[in-house]
């Protein structure tokens, strides 16, 4: 093809390093999800519970405030490992689960439905970078409502209680970060896998919800039919409870040995990665 217009020149400005180009994807994903006022309202609501707990921790160390509110310090629940485990359970499983259901299924499915994946991968962006960018959008959102406020609450309690409390409860701080990251990695990979299988967001949301609910129901049916507890390996919240029980060192009524729960989570994450690797290709074979 002849080119008559010679005014066009190649871009000569600074180039984004190849290793950090995946950051463009989460930036656009955040811009898209925060256009929804409903999502903004839900995201704001996610910080209500942490703010209440910050006030609860503050009351434990402020006698004048307790007297003004006519409260007795002995009636307040102690700020110990079970309180942090309960807080992280609400933030991860309830608020984090809803956020994953709202954001996760729409990460990849529109690109697959509209045939946009070859355009993404036709640029200096590898499949790994593309998946990392899509996952990064959800990981940052989940982190902002789970382990970050949990760790700030733990540090706030440590600051008010003293270094001795921090030294005795250091495993709680580690459990807050590590437990949340295990949940975030598992649910993010599962969301990306369901989003890559379905080409419509609604279908992907159904798959994701079905993986959690149907797994729990099927596991309970297996337990009843065969008189065993191995059916809990299909119950993702139960797997997380088992892992968290060891991290927080508190009884959470786990139904499985920790080794079985860890193996099931690793298998689930590996299966999700395999599905994503197979579905995210720059071409599609139509039979």
């Amino acid at each position: 093809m002849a080119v008559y217009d010679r005014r066009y020149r190649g871009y000569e400005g600074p180039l984004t390093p190849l290793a950090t180009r995946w950051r463009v994807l989460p930036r656009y994903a955040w811009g898209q999800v925060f256009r929804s006022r409903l999502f903004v309202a839900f995201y704001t609501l996610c910080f209500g519970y942490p703010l209440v707990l910050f006030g609860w921790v503050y009351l434990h160390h402020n006698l004048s405030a307790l007297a003004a509110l006519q409260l007795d310090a002995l009636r307040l629940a102690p700020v110990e490992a079970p309180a942090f485990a309960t807080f992280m359970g609400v933030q991860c499983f309830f608020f984090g689960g809803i956020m994953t259901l709202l954001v996760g299924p729409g990460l990849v499915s529109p690109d697959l439905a509209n045939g946009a994946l070859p355009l993404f991968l036709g640029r200096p962006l590898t499949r790994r970078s593309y998946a990392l960018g899509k996952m990064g959008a959800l990981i940052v959102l989940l982190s902002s409502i789970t382990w970050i406020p949990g760790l700030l609450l733990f540090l706030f309690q440590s600051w008010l209680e003293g270094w001795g409390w921090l030294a005795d409860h250091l495993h709680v701080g580690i459990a807050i970060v590590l437990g949340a990251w295990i949940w975030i990695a598992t649910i993010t990979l599962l969301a990306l896998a369901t989003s890559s299988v379905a080409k419509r967001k609604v279908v992907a949301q159904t798959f994701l919800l079905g993986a959690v609910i149907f797994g729990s129901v099927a596991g309970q049916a297996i337990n009843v039919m065969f008189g065993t507890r191995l059916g809990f390996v299909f119950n993702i919240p139960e797997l997380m409870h088992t892992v968290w029980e060891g991290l927080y060192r508190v009884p959470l009524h786990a139904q499985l040995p920790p080794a079985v729960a860890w193996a099931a989570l690793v298998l689930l994450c590996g299966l999700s990665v395999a599905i994503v690797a197979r579905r995210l290709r720059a071409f599609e074979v139509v039979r």
Side-chain angles (χ1 to χ4, degrees):
M1 181 179 68
V3 178
Y4 297 102
D5 194 340
R6 301 290 181 179
R7 292 176 300 175
Y8 294 105
R9 295 288 184 272
Y11 175 71
E12 297 177 351
L15 297 177
T16 305
L18 188 61
T20 59
R21 288 179 183 172
W22 61 271
R23 296 179 184 175
V24 176
L25 298 176
R27 193 166 68 234
Y28 277 92
W30 296 328
Q32 185 175 2
V33 296
F34 279 106
R35 286 196 193 107
S36 169
R37 293 181 181 179
L38 182 63
F39 181 81
V40 173
F42 168 73
Y43 188 69
T44 306
L45 182 65
C46 292
F47 296 97
Y49 189 36
L51 289 177
V52 170
L53 288 191
F54 269 100
W56 168 60
V57 172
Y58 177 74
L59 284 177
H60 268 276
H61 302 86
N62 194 307
L63 296 179
S64 58
L66 285 174
L69 295 174
Q70 298 181 349
L71 293 175
D72 187 357
L74 297 177
R75 294 184 178 179
L76 294 178
V79 187
E80 297 292 344
F84 285 101
T86 303
F87 166 69
M88 291 303 295
V90 173
Q91 291 297 115
C92 287
F93 299 142
F94 182 70
F95 290 112
I98 295 176
M99 179 173 287
T100 304
L101 197 61
L102 293 175
V103 178
L107 289 176
V108 176
S109 54
D111 296 340
L112 290 173
N114 297 302
L117 210 56
L119 298 178
F120 280 105
L121 300 181
R123 288 168 170 75
L125 190 70
T126 63
R127 287 195 301 161
R128 186 181 304 172
S129 300
Y130 175 81
L132 182 63
K134 294 294 184 178
M135 290 175 60
L138 184 57
I139 288 174
V140 171
L141 290 174
L142 289 175
S143 296
S144 66
I145 65 169
T146 55
W147 67 269
I148 291 178
L151 187 60
L152 290 176
L153 187 66
F154 174 77
L155 294 176
F156 184 54
Q157 164 68 7
S158 303
W159 176 59
L160 293 176
E161 196 69 33
W163 288 106
W165 188 92
L166 175 63
D168 293 338
H169 296 78
L170 192 59
H171 69 281
V172 177
I174 297 173
I176 290 172
V177 178
L178 185 58
W181 268 103
I182 293 171
W183 164 253
I184 290 172
T186 304
I187 200 67
T188 301
L189 284 172
L190 185 61
L192 201 66
T194 55
S195 181
S196 63
V197 169
K199 292 187 176 182
R200 295 185 62 184
K201 182 178 178 180
V202 176
V203 179
Q205 286 174 328
T206 306
F207 283 172
L208 181 59
L209 198 60
V212 177
I213 295 179
F214 180 75
S216 304
V217 174
Q220 188 61 32
I222 292 174
N223 291 337
V224 173
M225 290 173 62
F226 298 101
T228 179
R229 293 186 300 173
L230 289 179
F232 286 116
V233 297
F234 301 102
N235 189 329
I236 297 175
E238 183 57 40
L239 296 176
M240 296 306 303
H241 274 145
T242 306
V243 171
W244 280 21
E245 190 176 59
L247 294 176
Y248 284 93
R249 304 177 189 174
V250 295
L252 296 176
H253 309 293
Q255 303 292 332
L256 289 171
V260 175
W262 278 102
L265 287 176
V266 170
L267 183 62
L268 178 62
C269 291
L271 182 62
S272 300
V273 170
I275 293 173
V276 171
R278 181 174 179 78
R279 293 291 299 170
L280 296 186
R281 296 180 182 274
F283 58 87
E284 183 178 2
V285 178
V286 180
R287 299 182 185 278

